[in-house]
Amino acid sequence: MNKFQGILLASDFDNTLLYTEEALRAGVPTPPLPERNRQALEYFMAEGGRFAIATGRALAAFIQFAEQVPMNAPGVVCNGAALYDFAENHYLETAMLDEQARERGQVLLDRFPEMAAEAYHIDNVIHAVQPNAITYLHEHITKAETTKADSLLEVPLPLGKLLFEADRTILNQALVIAEEQGWAGEYELIFSAVNLLEMTVKGANKGGMVRRLAARLGISMENVYCVGDETNDISMLTAAAQGFAPENCSEAVRACGVRIVSHAKDGAIADVIGFLDQQISRA
């Protein structure tokens, strides 16, 4: 039997598999996938392992990078709102926001005119309301064009998620308002970066969708390993048999019992696969 047979490895994309923070902040080109990661993933899959992406990006914002990433399992997109089969080019599962999400999101935009929102339509379209500098930098690194809308109420359904973009101080204030209104009990409201706040339907997170993926593949959660760097990754990091994080991870991730590996720039995924390789060899 191949060494990694029956093992699922799921990894976040931005700042985990590929370090994109500098591209986001400075508007420079997105770097290529570290060669260490590519070689390690090819080895992992050749030895029977299943590798999946688990990204906060919408399909439209990841699809252009999909061919660059060695993977042999469906991927989690929209921060856990959908599971997509890249081999067959169709969604396997979706968890869409209700219509009230648009209304509530617009309330926050009206309260904070300096805040932008991206609305992720399931048909691979990203709508931008009140776009700001962060929106355009985000568009630059994802290479996914946005369609401008004057209001979230004009954006068509179904939507996988809303992404609010502003300075952290503004996002924190918006989160407080959402919590005071009781909306946090109906939606996942999770930071995926310092200036990005994600909103998906309750239960639609990376951890929940990784569990569904593992079940589809017939793999026990005892044999699932996850890697991520931000708060929106914690649900899958804590669901896994072992969670890993690159050195550049947030303090919230560092505090949740993960094993720290090298910086995303240096090939963190290669370190994870190397660790699994050693563990299996010793067993």
Side-chain angles (χ1 to χ4, degrees):
M1 185 173 70
N2 293 336
K3 180 175 286 188
F4 298 116
Q5 193 74 34
I7 292 178
L8 171 62
L9 175 61
S11 173
D12 175 46
F13 183 65
D14 292 284
N15 303 318
T16 301
L17 181 64
L18 180 67
Y19 191 67
T20 57
E21 186 66 21
E22 291 172 352
L24 178 61
R25 292 186 177 277
V28 298
T30 302
L33 182 71
E35 188 58 27
R36 285 190 69 224
N37 283 347
R38 181 182 304 283
Q39 293 178 7
L41 286 171
E42 289 173 351
Y43 165 66
F44 176 77
M45 293 188 297
E47 287 291 328
R50 304 297 296 271
F51 177 69
I53 282 293
T55 180
R57 293 190 183 206
L59 180 61
F62 177 73
I63 196 68
Q64 297 181 61
F65 296 88
E67 290 187 358
Q68 302 176 33
V69 179
M71 53 184 170
N72 60 355
V76 177
V77 297
C78 271
N79 209 43
L83 184 65
Y84 189 80
D85 189 327
F86 290 96
E88 299 295 331
N89 299 315
H90 66 86
Y91 288 101
L92 298 174
E93 299 194 30
T94 58
M96 298 293 97
L97 288 166
D98 59 19
E99 185 161 354
Q100 279 189 310
R102 294 185 304 177
E103 300 169 3
R104 291 166 172 176
Q106 189 58 47
V107 168
L108 297 178
L109 290 177
D110 291 341
R111 174 64 178 81
F112 302 102
E114 61 271 65
M115 184 170 69
E118 293 183 27
Y120 289 43
H121 192 275
I122 198 65
D123 286 338
N124 222 11
V125 178
I126 302 174
H127 298 268
V129 181
Q130 295 179 190
N132 57 22
I134 300 169
T135 310
Y136 297 124
L137 284 173
H138 200 230
E139 188 177 41
H140 166 73
I141 67 163
T142 63
K143 296 182 171 60
E145 292 185 3
T146 58
T147 299
K148 187 174 180 180
D150 292 332
S151 167
L152 281 176
L153 303 180
E154 298 176 4
V155 175
L157 298 172
L159 297 176
K161 79 169 184 179
L162 299 179
L163 177 65
F164 298 101
E165 301 162 322
D167 291 340
R168 188 57 172 258
T169 302
I170 298 298
L171 293 179
N172 283 337
Q173 293 176 39
L175 181 57
V176 168
I177 290 175
E179 290 172 341
E180 289 175 347
Q181 295 296 321
W183 302 340
E186 299 178 42
Y187 306 102
E188 302 286 343
L189 292 161
I190 305 174
F191 287 99
S192 57
V194 172
N195 50 16
L196 301 175
L197 178 63
E198 314 258 347
M199 179 179 179
T200 57
V201 69
K202 196 69 176 179
N205 54 44
K206 292 187 181 185
M209 202 57 85
V210 165
R211 286 182 182 276
R212 294 186 185 186
L213 172 58
R216 281 178 170 269
L217 298 175
I219 296 175
S220 165
M221 289 302 294
E222 295 176 354
N223 293 312
V224 174
Y225 300 88
C226 297
V227 198
D229 73 298
E230 257 298 348
T231 307
N232 64 321
D233 297 311
I234 291 176
S235 62
M236 70 173 181
L237 295 174
T238 54
Q242 173 67 64
F244 297 85
E247 185 182 348
N248 52 281
C249 69
S250 69
E251 288 303 318
V253 167
R254 195 175 290 269
C256 75
V258 295
R259 185 180 184 91
I260 303 297
V261 292
S262 63
H263 195 287
K265 287 182 181 179
D266 302 321
I269 300 302
D271 283 1
V272 172
I273 293 171
F275 174 83
L276 296 177
D277 200 5
Q278 289 181 358
Q279 291 296 105
I280 292 170
S281 297
R282 291 171 184 167

